[in-house]
Amino acid sequence: VPKGTSKEATEKTLESFKVHYGIHCADHTKPYDGILKLLEDLRKCGIQTAVVSNKADFAVQELCSQYFPKAFDFVVGEREGIRRKPCPDSVFEVLKTLKKTAAEAVYIGDSDVDMFTGKNAGLFSIGVAWGFRGARELSAAGANKIVYTSEELLSEIIK
């Protein structure tokens, strides 16, 4: 909403958006090439996986159940009272839930916000150059490693 919009109008707009997004969150959405196989391979290797998103939690739950059923051990989106990425709060929640330390985890993302989040959580961060942002921006945001294919990502994770 434009700067200066009243709190009431802002809340009304947000509620309208949530209804619309709840119906249309999967429009024009599909997994990136190779991701389903990557998740399957990680599962076969016994590697736990999670999603941390700034999308509304209801949408993240819906999208993950629709496109990645049983592929993730924990899925979390934006929720009231929890700071959004790049704050590491949700990452810490994932680590606690999965009983992992930062040293046992890797953060993978396709945006500068993801790289800042990984860094803020103290995790090794891998930027995937095929997503929202390219290699240059991911590197500038502090990615420890940049990968260009899902096969390369798998190799980085299991090494």
Side-chain angles (χ1 to χ4, degrees):
V1 295
K3 190 174 183 173
T5 301
S6 72
K7 184 176 181 178
E8 182 180 280
T10 299
E11 288 175 6
K12 186 176 179 181
T13 302
L14 178 59
E15 287 310 310
S16 176
F17 167 77
K18 286 179 181 178
V19 170
H20 177 82
Y21 192 64
I23 296 166
H24 298 282
C25 68
D27 292 0
H28 310 290
T29 299
K30 67 177 184 135
Y32 287 116
D33 292 341
I35 295 304
L36 294 174
K37 181 174 180 344
L38 169 70
L39 291 168
E40 182 181 311
D41 290 345
L42 291 172
R43 182 73 61 208
K44 286 178 185 173
C45 292
I47 295 172
Q48 292 178 299
T49 57
V51 171
V52 174
S53 176
N54 275 347
K55 287 184 167 91
D57 190 61
F58 72 86
V60 177
Q61 301 299 329
E62 171 63 30
L63 291 167
C64 284
S65 77
Q66 182 174 343
Y67 293 105
F68 311 107
K70 300 181 183 168
F72 295 104
D73 298 288
F74 193 64
V75 175
V76 65
E78 180 193 20
R79 294 153 296 145
E80 194 171 313
I82 306 293
R83 297 181 303 170
R84 294 169 50 102
K85 298 185 301 182
C87 293
D89 303 26
S90 291
V91 175
F92 293 153
E93 180 182 359
V94 167
L95 292 173
K96 183 178 179 182
T97 299
L98 299 182
K99 297 177 174 62
K100 298 294 177 190
T101 65
E104 296 174 298
V106 61
Y107 193 93
I108 302 161
D110 68 350
S111 73
D112 54 341
V113 171
D114 287 320
M115 296 306 99
F116 295 137
T117 304
K119 182 186 266 185
N120 290 340
L123 274 63
F124 185 85
S125 300
I126 301 174
V128 296
W130 63 81
F132 187 59
R133 301 286 186 225
R136 188 180 321 178
E137 186 168 346
L138 296 168
S139 183
N144 297 106
K145 178 79 177 177
I146 306 288
V147 295
Y148 297 87
T149 67
S150 58
E151 294 82 11
E152 187 181 3
L153 179 56
L154 178 63
S155 294
E156 272 303 310
I157 295 170
I158 61 173
K159 72 177 185 178

